[in-house]
């Protein structure tokens, strides 16, 4: 807490206007006689969401003497949109007036420097305390009790109802859904976040079949009609049931579709505090805002947004432990225990990688099988925007979801850009799959389609995936068994001959292209990158005993018939993921077939 001399509280000013007041303008003068707590927040910030939850008890216990006023002060461009602030206030169940201050005018008047910051104003209109960060609810509670006693004795305390006006409920099937997962029956399970429920949707992804949970915010196990959640988010299939991330209850819950029963797998129901255990029996260890889950290598990995880490729940022994991240907020790659994350909020697993949407750094990252953390897109906490192209230059804005696609590329729910983006590891490029989505937060692949969770449109939206993302035809990803190769020089040769009746298309330069990369990148000492020839010498690093070669080959050919003035042209493309193990004396050649006379 920062103690202050008696300073008159500056008036509350914000171009966005007031929310939760029934269109009334509020002023500090009108609140004179009440204790006012200003909560400077922004809706991307998980610490701000923690502070919101901490203030709920204070708000309830001192409803006739304390007025909490949120002052929304944006970090990201999207957060300066008034519609987005309205959505966030409803999404997170904010039950007090909120001033939308997109230009951070009031933030500056109060010399605020961090999200969240809480300022306490006494009944006479003076700032008496200011707190930065979360975890101050008990200190504010004691201060409020002191101020109540002091100003009741002075006759300057005024009791009454809070100036809060609840918004009208909206008749939508879902309300700010968070994540979705397909069930074996062909239906979909969706976390209906702001209604504190799970909803099973029919195969069309639209029609509700069943609701799980009472709809009241709570923490109760039992049958579907009695269970209670608090802002559930992530979902992941686990055996014959599902794991549910109960974000504000700081717990992993399990819903079993067959019986409708809800049980708790991990977490105590309290938010983890610094110094508390980070491993042990799952029900005895406190979690902190788990946002998503994914089953990877026999464990349920957890995007622990509240402490900027990845954790894992092991269903075999019922334990939890930290798997990556120091707890420091930022973007640092390296071995899991040394890496830094910033509110990891989305997970998607493949056989070899765990993809992570690291929201506060606007980054797409992944974890290798050996636990090393790497970054595909993103550079830091304040680097965000909208730019396609090479991953090193591409920009995202606070993504909350990530989905592995059949061809080995990755779809990113680029939440604050209202877009679905795609990262292709073989090319290292970022492209856009769809725009005009409203705060997408997750997506699942369904056959040739992708079902996007449009959180702020309260629905799931079905889109057709491009052909090259389906793992068939153009862009097909071919995975082979592990190949033993000699360390040092490896000759890569991709065989291609134009099919009968066709010839190479040389009208615009070379007709072939070869792109090579590796996971980890250190596997290749030389030979990575793009070129026009279909043969290349690679230099395999003997100090990296295992890895994966990513090879993409393309060739263009045209029909060879002189009597046809405009011959049809064809693109032949394949992508390979080749696990390699370095063994002395093994082969120094790697032959691949793109197309030839016998296979075309």
């Amino acid at each position: 807490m920062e103690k202050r001399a008696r300073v008159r509280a500056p008036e509350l000013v914000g171009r966005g206007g007031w929310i939760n007041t029934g269109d009334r303008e509020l002023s500090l003068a009108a609140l004179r006689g009440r204790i006012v707590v200003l909560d400077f927040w922004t809706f991307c910030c998980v610490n701000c969401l923690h502070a919101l939850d901490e203030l709920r008890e204070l708000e309830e216990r001192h409803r006739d003497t304390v007025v909490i006023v949120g002052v929304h002060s944006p970090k990201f461009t999207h957060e300066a949109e008034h519609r987005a602030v309205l959505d966030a206030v409803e999404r997170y169940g904010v039950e007090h007036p909120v001033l939308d201050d997109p230009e951070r005018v009031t933030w500056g008047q109060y010399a605020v420097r961090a999200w969240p910051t809480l300022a306490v104003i006494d009944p006479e209109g003076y700032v008496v305390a200011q707190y930065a960060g979360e975890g101050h609810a008990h200190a504010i509670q004691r201060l409020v009790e002191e101020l109540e006693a002091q100003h009741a004795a002075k006759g300057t305390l005024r009791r009454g109802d809070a100036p809060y006006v609840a918004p009208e409920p909206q008749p939508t099937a879902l309300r700010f859904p968070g994540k979705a997962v397909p069930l074996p029956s062909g239906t979909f399970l969706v976390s209906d976040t702001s209604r504190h429920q799970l909803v099973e949707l029919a195969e069309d992804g639209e029609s509700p079949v069943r609701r799980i949970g009472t709809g009241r915010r709570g923490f109760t196990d039992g049958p579907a009609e009695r269970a209670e959640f608090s802002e559930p988010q992530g979902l992941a299939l686990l055996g014959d049931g599902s794991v549910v991330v109960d974000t504000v209850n700081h717990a992993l819950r399990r819903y079993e579709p067959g019986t409708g029963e809800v049980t708790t797998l991990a977490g105590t129901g309290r938010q983890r505090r610094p110094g508390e255990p980070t491993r042990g029996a799952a029900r005895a260890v406190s979690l902190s805002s788990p946002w998503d889950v994914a089953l990877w290598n026999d464990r349920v990995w957890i995007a622990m947004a509240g402490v900027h880490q990845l954790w894992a729940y092991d269903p075999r022994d019922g334990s939890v432990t930290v798997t990556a991240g120091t707890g420091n907020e930022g973007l640092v790659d390296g071995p899991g225990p040394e890496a830094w994350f910033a509110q990891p909020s989305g997970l998607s697993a493949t056989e070899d990688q765990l993809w992570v949407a690291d929201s506060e750094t606007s980054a797409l990252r992944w974890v290798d099988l050996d636990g090393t953390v790497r970054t595909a897109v993103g550079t830091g906490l304040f680097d965000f925007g909208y730019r396609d192209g090479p991953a090193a230059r591409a920009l995202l804005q606070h993504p909350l979801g990530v989905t592995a696609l059949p061809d080995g590329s990755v779809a990113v729910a680029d939440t604050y850009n209202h877009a679905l983006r795609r990262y292709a590891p073989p090319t290292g490029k970022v492209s856009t799959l769809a725009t005009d989505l409203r705060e997408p937060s997750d997506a699942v692949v369904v056959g040739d389609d992708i079902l996007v969770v449009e959180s702020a449109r309260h629905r799931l939206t079905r889109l057709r995936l491009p052909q090259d993302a389906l793992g068939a035809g153009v862009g097909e990803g071919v995975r082979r068994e592990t190949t033993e190769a000699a360390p040092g020089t490896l000759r890569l040769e991709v065989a291609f001959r134009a099919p009968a009746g066709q010839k190479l298309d040389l009208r615009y330069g070379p007709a072939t292209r070869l792109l090579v990369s590796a996971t980890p990148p250190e596997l290749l000492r030389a030979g990575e990158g793009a070129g026009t020839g279909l043969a290349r010498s690679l230099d395999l690093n003997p100090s990296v005993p295992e890895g994966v070669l990513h090879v993409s080959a393309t060739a263009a050919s045209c029909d060879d018939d002189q009597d046809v003035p405009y011959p049809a042209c064809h693109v032949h493309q394949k992508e390979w993921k080749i696990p390699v193990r370095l063994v002395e004396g093994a082969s120094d050649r790697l032959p691949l077939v793109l197309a030839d006379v016998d296979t075309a």
Side-chain angles (χ1 to χ4, degrees):
M1 181 185 74
E2 181 181 336
K3 288 286 187 182
R4 294 183 168 219
R6 281 172 58 87
V7 175
R8 178 70 68 180
E11 193 50 81
L12 306 179
V13 179
R15 181 171 54 81
W18 287 92
I19 302 169
N20 280 355
T21 63
D23 297 325
R24 289 173 49 216
E25 295 284 328
L26 292 188
S27 68
L28 288 180
L31 297 175
R32 193 66 50 79
R34 311 291 290 279
I35 301 165
V36 177
V37 178
L38 300 183
D39 175 18
F40 291 88
W41 69 298
T42 187
F43 64 78
C44 73
C45 166
V46 72
N47 308 94
C48 298
L49 303 185
H50 291 166
L52 279 173
D53 293 326
E54 291 169 356
L55 291 172
R56 294 186 197 279
E57 183 180 352
L58 177 73
E59 202 164 27
E60 182 60 34
R61 291 181 62 179
H62 300 271
R63 190 168 291 279
D64 65 337
T65 59
V66 173
V67 175
I68 296 175
V69 174
V71 182
H72 189 269
S73 313
K75 170 189 172 181
F76 288 96
T77 304
H78 170 58
E79 292 173 314
E81 298 176 16
H82 185 65
R83 175 71 257 176
V85 182
L86 285 170
D87 286 343
V89 168
E90 181 185 350
R91 181 196 306 268
Y92 297 118
V94 179
E95 296 184 352
H96 52 248
V98 174
L99 175 66
D100 181 10
D101 183 16
E103 293 158 347
R104 300 200 303 204
V105 174
T106 299
W107 163 290
Q109 289 293 315
Y110 281 80
V112 176
R113 296 184 295 274
W115 294 281
T117 290
L118 302 170
V120 180
I121 301 170
D122 72 12
E124 295 178 295
Y126 291 95
V127 178
V128 294
Q130 193 158 305
Y131 306 78
E134 58 177 288
H136 300 295
H138 293 300
I140 295 175
Q141 169 77 30
R142 290 194 298 270
L143 177 59
V144 163
E145 291 171 354
E146 292 174 9
L147 290 172
E148 285 177 337
Q150 176 186 344
H151 287 274
K154 290 176 64 176
T156 51
L157 183 68
R158 179 169 58 89
R159 298 177 183 272
D161 294 333
Y164 165 69
V165 178
E168 289 292 326
Q170 299 299 314
T172 54
L174 302 173
R175 204 68 190 164
F176 299 104
K179 308 287 185 181
V181 66
L183 297 177
S185 63
T187 59
F188 300 93
L189 191 65
V190 182
S191 53
D192 198 13
T193 304
S194 72
R195 288 193 177 135
H196 316 297
Q197 290 181 314
L198 307 180
V199 178
E200 185 178 349
L201 298 180
E203 294 183 18
D204 61 7
E206 299 177 8
S207 308
V209 174
R210 186 181 193 187
R211 292 186 179 274
I212 299 93
T214 65
R216 297 187 299 269
R217 185 190 294 270
F219 188 11
T220 303
D221 288 343
E225 63 273 14
R226 292 212 309 267
E228 292 180 332
F229 301 93
S230 185
E231 298 181 25
Q233 284 282 352
L235 304 162
L237 286 177
L238 177 63
D240 60 353
S242 292
V243 173
V244 180
V245 165
D246 198 356
T247 302
V248 177
N249 279 328
H250 311 291
L252 264 64
R253 315 286 293 284
R254 178 172 181 165
Y255 163 63
E256 298 184 19
T259 64
E261 194 75 12
V262 175
T263 54
T264 298
L265 294 179
T268 63
R270 295 180 296 100
Q271 182 188 347
R272 181 185 178 275
R273 295 301 182 191
E276 292 185 350
T278 57
R279 64 172 59 229
R283 292 293 304 273
V285 177
S286 294
L287 311 182
S288 182
S289 290
W291 212 275
D292 202 6
V293 281
L295 184 62
W296 190 49
N297 292 331
D298 301 321
R299 293 191 292 174
V300 179
W301 286 61
I302 309 166
M304 200 74 75
V307 287
H308 315 298
Q309 292 177 317
L310 301 182
W311 289 38
Y313 165 75
D314 193 332
R316 294 165 296 192
D317 62 7
S319 66
V320 291
T321 188
V322 178
T323 51
T326 63
N328 292 321
E329 185 177 14
L331 194 155
V332 176
D333 288 345
E338 301 173 12
W340 293 22
F341 292 92
Q343 290 180 216
S345 301
L347 300 175
S348 183
T350 67
E351 185 177 349
D352 300 326
Q353 294 166 303
L354 180 70
W355 292 97
V356 183
D358 202 26
S359 63
E360 199 68 4
T361 54
S362 299
L364 172 64
R365 308 176 74 183
W366 81 89
V367 182
D368 284 330
L369 287 172
D370 65 1
T372 302
V373 177
R374 305 182 189 279
T375 298
V377 182
T379 54
L381 282 166
F382 296 93
D383 303 325
F384 58 87
Y386 195 134
R387 184 190 296 149
D388 284 342
R393 298 183 63 250
L395 294 174
L396 309 170
Q397 188 181 180
H398 200 80
L400 290 177
V402 60
T403 306
L405 299 180
D407 73 322
S409 62
V410 183
V412 180
D414 192 7
T415 309
Y416 287 5
N417 280 327
H418 309 300
L420 188 68
R421 312 284 291 282
R422 180 185 179 196
Y423 168 68
T427 65
K429 295 285 184 65
V430 173
S431 58
T432 296
L433 290 173
T435 57
D436 192 30
L437 301 168
R438 188 69 186 170
E439 293 192 12
S441 55
D442 194 22
V444 294
V445 176
V446 186
D448 292 350
D449 299 335
I450 189 165
L451 206 58
V452 181
V453 180
E454 274 197 274
S455 187
R457 280 204 179 107
H458 319 294
R459 70 187 188 191
L460 273 58
T461 298
R462 188 180 296 265
L463 305 172
R464 180 55 55 92
L465 279 170
Q467 184 65 33
D468 65 345
L470 295 173
V474 176
E476 179 178 5
V478 181
R479 183 174 178 86
R480 297 158 49 114
E481 296 299 320
T482 299
T483 297
E484 292 188 347
T489 301
L490 176 69
R491 183 66 177 171
L492 171 64
E493 297 172 343
V494 180
F496 175 81
R497 281 188 290 173
Q502 299 179 24
K503 64 179 180 179
L504 286 175
D505 181 9
L506 301 172
R507 294 172 298 166
Y508 307 109
T512 58
R513 183 174 184 269
L514 182 66
L515 181 68
V516 180
S517 62
T519 303
E522 294 80 11
L523 175 64
L524 281 177
R525 291 191 297 194
E528 73 276 8
T532 57
L534 292 182
R536 187 180 303 178
S537 291
L538 311 180
D539 186 2
L540 301 182
N541 188 348
S543 66
V544 181
E546 292 186 348
V548 179
L549 290 175
H550 305 276
V551 180
S552 175
T554 306
S557 63
C558 293
D559 292 344
D560 187 16
D561 187 341
Q562 295 182 352
D563 295 331
V564 178
Y566 301 105
C569 294
H570 313 267
V571 175
H572 312 266
Q573 181 176 349
K574 279 187 180 179
E575 296 173 357
W576 294 265
K577 293 173 66 175
I578 307 167
V580 295
R581 181 181 302 114
L582 302 193
V583 177
E584 291 290 347
S587 175
D588 61 0
R589 290 185 65 252
L590 179 58
L592 302 173
V593 177
L594 174 57
D596 62 17
V597 170
D598 298 321
T599 62

